Amino acid sequence: MSITVFVSSVSSNLRIKKKQQNIESILESKKIDFKLVDIAQNSDDKDRMRVLAGNPTALPPQIVNGDVYCGDSDAFDNAVEMESLDAFLKL
């Protein structure tokens, strides 16, 4: 399985942009392989993100491992703080 982070390149929301950058930075620093999927480029990706999240109004960033939903940016931050990132990412 691989970690996928659903992001948006056209978000005007500064909070979302910072959360996306934070997730990317932490995953890179921990040398965890992941791919970014930009939902602004393809509405099918946005729909897939929302189905996986189980929330028809979910906003990026959302994180999945394969087809298993891990959580949103707040849950990611909590996992980092609690030193349980591997469990959160289902690694």
Side-chain angles (χ1 to χ4, degrees):
M1 290 190 191
S2 64
I3 303 300
T4 302
V5 182
F6 290 95
V7 298
S8 177
S9 61
V10 295
S11 176
S12 61
N13 185 323
L14 186 58
R15 181 177 175 269
I16 288 175
K17 286 183 180 182
K18 286 186 176 193
K19 287 187 171 283
Q20 291 175 168
Q21 291 170 343
N22 181 57
I23 290 170
E24 188 174 353
S25 175
I26 289 172
L27 292 176
E28 286 174 351
S29 72
K30 295 190 175 285
K31 297 184 177 15
I32 296 172
D33 289 332
F34 68 97
K35 68 177 180 177
L36 297 176
V37 174
D38 184 0
I39 66 168
Q41 301 300 316
N42 185 338
S43 65
D44 290 342
D45 289 332
K46 178 176 71 173
D47 295 340
R48 181 172 176 260
M49 175 194 76
R50 289 179 169 173
V51 166
L52 289 168
N55 179 348
T57 61
L59 297 174
Q62 299 289 331
I63 305 159
V64 299
N65 185 340
D67 285 330
V68 179
Y69 181 67
C70 297
D72 62 8
S73 58
D74 292 334
F76 178 88
D77 291 343
N78 186 51
V80 170
E81 185 176 321
M82 301 301 290
E83 297 182 4
S84 61
L85 186 57
D86 285 352
F88 170 78
L89 294 173
K90 297 163 183 32
L91 297 176

